[in-house]
Each structure stands twice: as C-alpha cells, then as structure tokens.
Amino acid sequence: MLKKALLVIILATASQVQAQDSAPAGKPATEQRGSDKLDIKKLEQKYWAAKDDDFSVVQNRRYTKAQRFFGTVAGGVPINDPFSAGTLLGLQVGYFFNERWGLDLTYTSGNLSDNDSVKNYKTLNGAVSPNYNVFNNSVILSGTFVPLYAKMSFLDRSIIYFDMGISLGVGTTGYTIKTDDGDQVKSAFSYQIGIVQQIFFSENFAIRADFLNRFTNEEQLKYASNAPNRDLGTKLINDTAILLGLTYWH
C-alpha cells in the first residue's frame, strides 16, 4: 500500500509540474491541464501488471528466417562407426514458417571404406572378416525447433548472429551387408535426432553445423557364407555424424 501511495504521489506531482511549466505567461496552469492531464490510473495498472504480452527480449533481428526457403550443401564425417571411415555429403532443402519452427528434407550420402581396424583384422586372419554393415545413404524429413538466438562480439570488432535448435526426423537409411559371397544392399526405417547451429553473415548466407544421431534397425549376417546360423536377425544401429556446410536463404 505504501509503494502504491508513493507512486500515485510521484505521478501526480510530475503531472502538476509539467502543466505549470507549459502554461503561457499570465495564464493559470489549471487552464492548460485539459490537454496535458495524465491518466494516472492507466499508468498505475501498467506498472503493476504481471507481464507485458507485447514484450520480447529480442526486439529486432538482423537476419530473419520466418517464411523463407533455404538450401544447404554440407560435408562431414561419421564419428562413431567402428568399421568404416570416410566422408559424408549432405544436401538439404527446407522452409521456416516463423523464427521458431521449420521443416526440411535432407539427403546424406556416404563415401566410406574399411577403417584401419577392419583392414588389420583381415590381414591377420586371411579371408576371415568381422560381421558388419556399411552406411550408404539416408533420406530424412525433419522438423526443427529453434529456442536460442543470440549475438556475440568477435574480438570487439564485429557482431556474430547465430541460433541453435533441435531437429527430429524420420525416413529411410540404405546400407550394405558385407559378406564373402557378395554384398547385399538393404534399406530400413530410421529416426533421427540432431542439434543444429547457424551463424549468419548476411541476409542470404549462413554457415550451418549439424550434430546428428540416426537410429536404424538393420539386418545382420555373418560374413562367412558357410558359417552356421548365419542370420543374426536385426540390430538397432546408431550412426553419429557431424556436418558443416553453407546455407542459402531465399
């Protein structure tokens, strides 16, 4: 109650002083109050309001994503494949409905071969090889939510604008089952969880980084064709990758 009373007194005093200062010489200030009178009640209600629905932390964005299409070309590497090494190529097209929500379709192709562990195993054991599959490609439809947007100072010389989001997607993954009597190419349903970060350096271009975790139920076979109980059933395979690329915004 004391705070409320003080607020009313301060506002009323300010209104009175303003009216007196603005009154012409020789004319009472009370004659000028009709046009300059403050609505103390409205100011008081706004002061004590629980929140301002129109308020936003970021009032102006330098670069916007809302209602814009984009395309990305990216390259990367798998980081948890125990059998393969090589590079990945990613192509992506998408659209953002607003600053928070977007939708994209991503095609990822792998150029992978046996890593050093598999090569050494085959060298030591002749024709014997571990049982493994190799990633070929994937097509994933994802939805992206972007809760983070920020500005950073770079060496106190320029401002970097970036955002970070989370993507969830579903699609298919193509893979090859390695065997001694001929490789078998298969595909299966996949789901994907990713972390997305973009650094904007113009209205139309941004650097994009994706940290992706894809999960696929893949068929498994023993490498040797004469091995008993060759069919190993299916196994949930987690492919983790990092992609870095250039995005064009239209």
Side-chain angles (χ1 to χ4, degrees), residues 46 49-60:
K46 188 171 183 64
K51 66 176 182 178
D52 187 350
D53 292 336
D54 296 328
F55 178 77
S56 177
V57 174
V58 180
Q59 298 294 333
N60 296 295

Side-chain angles (χ1 to χ4, degrees), residues 5-204:
L6 288 173
L7 177 63
V8 173
I9 292 172
I10 291 171
L11 293 174
T13 302
S15 175
Q16 182 65 26
V17 171
Q18 181 182 10
Q20 290 177 353
D21 291 344
S22 61
K27 201 167 186 178
T30 54
E31 296 182 17
Q32 301 299 316
R33 293 180 64 183
S35 60
D36 296 335
K37 185 178 180 181
L38 295 175
D39 191 336
I40 297 175
K41 189 65 176 178
K42 287 185 177 179
L43 288 174
E44 181 184 354
Q45 290 175 350
K46 188 171 183 64
Y47 180 84
W48 293 108
K51 66 176 182 178
D52 187 350
D53 292 336
D54 296 328
F55 178 77
S56 177
V57 174
V58 180
Q59 298 294 333
N60 296 295
R61 290 175 178 265
R62 179 69 180 273
Y63 307 117
T64 64
K65 303 185 297 297
Q67 299 180 2
R68 298 181 70 188
F69 290 93
F70 68 91
T72 302
V73 178
V77 293
I79 59 176
N80 72 331
D81 194 319
F83 304 106
S84 303
T87 59
L88 302 171
L89 172 65
L91 302 174
Q92 182 182 65
V93 292
Y95 178 79
F96 264 81
F97 304 99
N98 51 48
E99 296 298 337
R100 292 281 178 259
W101 295 98
L103 194 67
D104 60 73
L105 182 67
T106 303
Y107 172 79
T108 305
S109 176
N111 181 21
L112 306 179
S113 58
D114 294 344
N115 62 18
D116 290 340
S117 297
V118 174
K119 291 177 180 178
N120 291 335
Y121 186 95
K122 290 180 176 179
T123 300
L124 294 174
N125 296 278
V128 180
S129 170
N131 308 316
Y132 68 105
N133 298 345
V134 176
F135 169 78
N136 293 334
N137 53 64
S138 66
V139 179
I140 304 292
L141 178 65
S142 299
T144 302
F145 172 62
V146 182
L148 300 177
Y149 173 84
K151 304 174 184 179
M152 295 187 300
S153 171
F154 180 71
L155 298 177
D156 293 331
R157 295 182 179 275
S158 62
I159 299 296
I160 297 175
Y161 302 85
F162 74 95
D163 57 29
M164 182 176 292
I166 300 171
S167 66
L168 297 175
V170 294
T172 60
T173 292
Y175 60 94
T176 297
I177 304 175
K178 305 296 287 187
T179 64
D180 63 357
D181 58 346
D183 297 341
Q184 300 185 28
V185 178
K186 302 281 186 176
S187 65
F189 172 81
S190 296
Y191 60 92
Q192 181 173 278
I193 302 172
I195 297 175
V196 181
Q197 181 168 328
Q198 294 189 99
I199 298 176
F200 294 85
F201 55 90
S202 78
E203 185 68 23
N204 298 108

Side-chain angles (χ1 to χ4, degrees), residues 131 178-182 221-230:
N131 308 316
K178 305 296 287 187
T179 64
D180 63 357
D181 58 346
L221 291 176
K222 291 181 179 179
Y223 182 83
S225 58
N226 58 355
N229 302 318
R230 191 181 188 193

